[in-house]
Amino acid sequence: MSRYSSKDNLPFLRRMHDVFLDNERRSRKESEVREKRVSQETREGGKSWEKSIRKEEARRRGIINRERAAEKRRVREEKKQAGREKIRLRDLNETVVQRERRLRRNERERTRRRKKREAEARYLELTPFREDSAIRGMVERYRIEPTTAFDVLTFLELARPRVRGLLDGLRGNMSSNIRLELICLMGKELEDGREELKEASFITGNYKLHGVDALTDEIWEQMKEKILIEFSRYQKGGSNYVLKRVQRLYIHVGKFIPFRGKGCSDPLPDFIRKKHALINMKNTDDECFKWAVTRALYPVKINSERISKKLRKQAQNLNWKNVEFPTPVKGRSIISFEQNNGVNINVFSWDETDGFHPVRISRSYSSGGATVIRLFILFYLFY
């Protein structure tokens, strides 16, 4: 008698297990496919619904736009009809003289509008641009060069807002010196019939703008009047030259730094230091003028550039009334010191262009009498 064994049924169980797994996978896959189909149908249904809504909205917008366009055309036609009717009634009631006056008035208006458009077009050409600079950017030159012919007065009037806009853009805490230079092409007819051409320059003086000050109408009128006077003198001087056109306008802008003795800690250039002719005071405050003048009146042979206690006591022996620090070269400070202490002070400077040159010579300077103090200031920037 054979006994039942699970080992004998193992292949059958495995086959049944495989069949069960296959059925499970098949049912899961069919379920996923069914879910995808349902979701796709749902999305397509939603898209078709949104598409139909957009289509309907576009159709309604088209209807509204067509109705608005038709209304505008109707209003325009009504205005044209009313204008034609007005002209017909005017022609019926208008005399010949009135018609001629109206035509002349219309012609003047068309001419005025045409000139205005031409002036606006020419105004767009008058854009200043930077041409060059000097002294480490302290002096700049801008140029306005028209492409069409102008007379002097018209050109200055058209260039005025452009120059003002340029200067407004350059404004800041630093003062500026402004100068205009107008270049004109002049010509005259020679005896042999040929025409001689030459450029003439008309320059204004320097006008100072302090800090955030704008180019005022008063300053501009002064500069314009100066140019017109120079231009009139040129024509009336017997040269027989007449204006052909305005060539260009230069705007010279120089940054203005008040010249003050302040902080002597910067080293001297080697070619000056090696001469051993100057004492460069080593102070860190703004009283450079005080220490330089005191050292000049109380010289020492050793460490003359130091601000010692003895030098401070010696400075108290001098009268510093009405002297401001840092001390400006131009002003009442140095004059007051000269009058208070009976000395003469001359100020000299040096730059790469002019070399050594005087900046201030004492008004009471003489070869004898009062003590003469010579001060030196390096890198005097001027315009």
Side-chain angles (χ1 to χ4, degrees):
M1 180 177 178
S2 62
R3 183 177 295 180
Y4 174 78
S5 175
S6 61
K7 293 182 178 179
D8 298 335
N9 295 327
L10 185 60
F12 174 76
L13 294 176
R14 287 180 176 174
R15 287 196 300 272
M16 293 298 295
H17 180 68
D18 293 339
V19 170
F20 175 77
L21 292 178
D22 291 340
N23 293 335
E24 184 70 20
R25 283 194 293 268
R26 189 181 300 108
S27 62
R28 189 183 301 114
K29 187 174 182 180
E30 291 176 355
S31 176
E32 291 176 356
V33 171
R34 188 165 50 253
E35 290 178 357
K36 288 182 180 180
R37 187 184 304 112
V38 171
S39 61
Q40 184 176 0
E41 291 176 356
T42 303
R43 286 196 302 271
E44 290 178 355
K47 288 182 179 179
S48 61
W49 179 73
E50 293 177 357
K51 185 176 180 180
S52 62
I53 291 178
R54 288 196 298 269
K55 187 175 181 180
E56 180 65 20
E57 289 178 349
R59 186 184 68 81
R60 293 184 180 182
R61 283 197 301 269
I63 294 174
I64 294 174
N65 292 335
R66 287 192 292 272
E67 290 178 353
R68 289 178 179 176
E71 181 66 19
K72 289 182 180 180
R73 286 195 298 270
R74 185 184 63 80
V75 172
R76 191 161 51 247
E77 289 296 331
E78 289 180 356
K79 289 183 178 180
K80 288 182 179 180
Q81 184 64 27
R84 287 193 290 267
E85 183 66 20
K86 183 178 179 180
I87 292 174
R88 187 182 67 82
L89 295 176
R90 183 198 63 194
D91 293 340
L92 290 176
N93 300 325
E94 189 178 42
T95 63
V96 176
V97 176
Q98 291 175 342
R99 184 173 183 276
E100 292 179 353
R101 290 178 180 176
R102 177 176 56 80
L103 294 178
R104 286 196 298 269
R105 185 170 61 252
N106 293 343
E107 182 64 25
R108 287 195 299 268
E109 181 65 20
R110 284 193 293 269
T111 303
R112 186 188 66 81
R113 292 179 180 178
R114 177 176 54 80
K115 290 183 178 180
K116 183 179 179 180
R117 289 194 298 269
E118 292 176 356
E120 291 176 352
R122 289 184 294 179
Y123 171 72
L124 296 176
E125 302 170 357
L126 305 179
T127 302
F129 62 92
R130 180 178 174 181
E131 190 173 64
D132 55 13
S133 62
I135 315 180
R136 300 190 297 276
M138 297 299 295
V139 178
E140 297 177 340
R141 184 171 72 173
Y142 296 84
R143 183 176 68 180
I144 297 178
E145 189 167 357
T147 57
T148 55
F150 286 100
D151 61 273
V152 175
L153 185 59
T154 303
F155 175 76
L156 291 177
E157 288 298 327
L158 291 176
R160 176 179 181 174
R162 293 294 189 178
V163 176
R164 174 174 290 180
L166 169 66
L167 298 180
D168 288 345
L170 298 176
R171 279 189 295 171
N173 295 327
M174 187 176 295
S175 301
S176 300
N177 282 334
I178 310 299
R179 186 177 76 243
L180 299 182
E181 180 181 0
L182 184 67
I183 308 297
C184 297
L185 181 64
M186 312 295 291
K188 72 174 181 179
E189 187 175 353
L190 302 178
E191 295 179 355
D192 56 1
R194 293 184 297 106
E195 186 179 27
E196 181 182 357
L197 300 177
K198 66 177 295 187
E199 287 188 350
S201 176
F202 308 100
I203 305 175
T204 67
N206 290 337
Y207 293 86
K208 188 177 300 181
L209 300 180
H210 295 282
V212 296
D213 291 347
L215 179 64
T216 61
D217 295 338
E218 181 181 359
I219 295 178
W220 178 262
E221 291 298 328
Q222 292 176 4
M223 291 192 292
K224 184 178 74 172
E225 184 179 0
K226 176 67 174 177
I227 290 178
L228 294 177
I229 290 175
E230 293 295 328
F231 181 78
S232 178
R233 288 177 180 174
Y234 184 86
Q235 285 190 315
K236 294 179 180 179
S239 61
N240 296 326
Y241 280 97
V242 295
L243 176 67
K244 293 299 181 181
R245 58 171 294 166
V246 174
Q247 291 286 80
R248 68 192 72 90
L249 175 68
Y250 289 118
I251 303 104
H252 300 268
V253 182
K255 297 178 182 178
F256 175 75
I257 302 178
F259 195 9
R260 297 172 179 264
K262 179 180 180 180
C264 302
S265 58
D266 294 336
L268 294 173
D270 290 339
F271 76 95
I272 297 179
R273 180 177 53 81
K274 291 179 180 180
K275 293 181 181 293
H276 301 287
L278 297 176
I279 299 175
N280 188 19
M281 303 301 295
K282 302 299 182 182
N283 64 298
T284 57
D285 53 21
D286 292 340
E287 298 181 352
C288 181
F289 175 76
K290 175 190 287 189
W291 309 127
V293 170
T294 305
R295 178 57 70 207
L297 295 175
Y298 299 95
V300 294
K301 293 183 179 180
I302 301 176
N303 297 328
S304 57
E305 73 280 358
R306 293 183 180 178
I307 311 299
S308 60
K309 293 182 179 180
K310 184 177 180 180
L311 182 66
R312 295 180 184 275
K313 292 181 180 180
Q314 291 169 344
Q316 296 177 0
N317 299 330
L318 302 175
N319 187 351
W320 302 99
K321 184 179 180 181
N322 298 328
V323 179
E324 60 175 311
F325 299 100
T327 307
V329 173
K330 294 183 179 181
R332 294 291 306 174
S333 294
I334 296 181
I335 297 176
S336 298
F337 182 82
E338 290 177 330
Q339 295 174 352
N340 296 338
N341 299 276
V343 296
N344 296 331
I345 296 178
N346 300 329
V347 182
F348 299 85
S349 183
W350 175 88
D351 59 40
E352 297 178 355
T353 303
D354 299 330
F356 289 94
H357 57 276
V359 177
R360 180 190 186 276
I361 301 298
S362 177
R363 297 179 181 179
S364 58
Y365 175 73
S366 60
S367 58
T371 303
V372 178
I373 300 175
R374 296 178 177 86
L375 301 180
F376 175 77
I377 298 183
L378 189 61
F379 301 131
Y380 171 47
L381 299 178
F382 65 99
Y383 176 66

